[in-house]
Amino acid sequence: MVVLLAGANRDPSVFGRPDEFDVRRRDASRHLTFGAGIHYCLGASLARAEAQTVLRRFFERYPGATLAADATPRQSRVLHGPARLPVRLTGPRPGWTGRP
């Protein structure tokens, strides 16, 4: 038996459109990203807070950011997600200072 972590959260019988990244996914609470039960990741709350902060700040600064090309898939049996995700930046929002 081989366990492929990259296969987690991609079961079409559980997740609608499992090959799409959708932050508003209705069934997102059923994911296995941070484990479950006694094996739940101790750093999950910190990871979520960091991701939330980074993405919010990025889109505050670059509200017109668009994909510049298709994502380059990661060549790994263990990790899932893009190895590269080229983004076209149109410049920072006028008046953006980087301060909250």
Side-chain angles (χ1 to χ4, degrees):
M1 177 189 288
V2 175
V3 177
L4 296 176
L5 295 178
N9 306 323
R10 297 176 57 83
D11 182 349
S13 68
V14 176
F15 300 99
R17 300 181 335 272
D19 293 330
E20 290 181 25
F21 175 71
D22 182 1
V23 296
R24 295 184 191 108
R25 187 178 300 278
R26 291 177 194 222
D27 48 10
S29 65
R30 299 184 68 194
H31 69 82
L32 301 173
T33 304
F34 294 115
I38 64 169
H39 300 289
Y40 192 73
C41 176
L42 292 174
S45 295
L46 177 60
R48 284 191 178 108
E50 288 174 339
Q52 208 172 37
T53 300
V54 166
L55 291 172
R56 182 178 57 247
R57 299 286 293 189
F58 176 83
F59 287 108
E60 284 173 357
R61 182 171 185 175
Y62 300 106
T66 58
L67 289 178
D70 289 339
T72 303
R74 185 180 307 276
Q75 300 298 315
S76 171
R77 289 185 167 181
V78 179
L79 299 174
H80 178 69
R84 294 189 66 214
L85 186 62
V87 177
R88 181 174 295 110
L89 304 177
T90 56
R93 186 184 80 219
W96 192 84
T97 63
R99 296 184 187 99

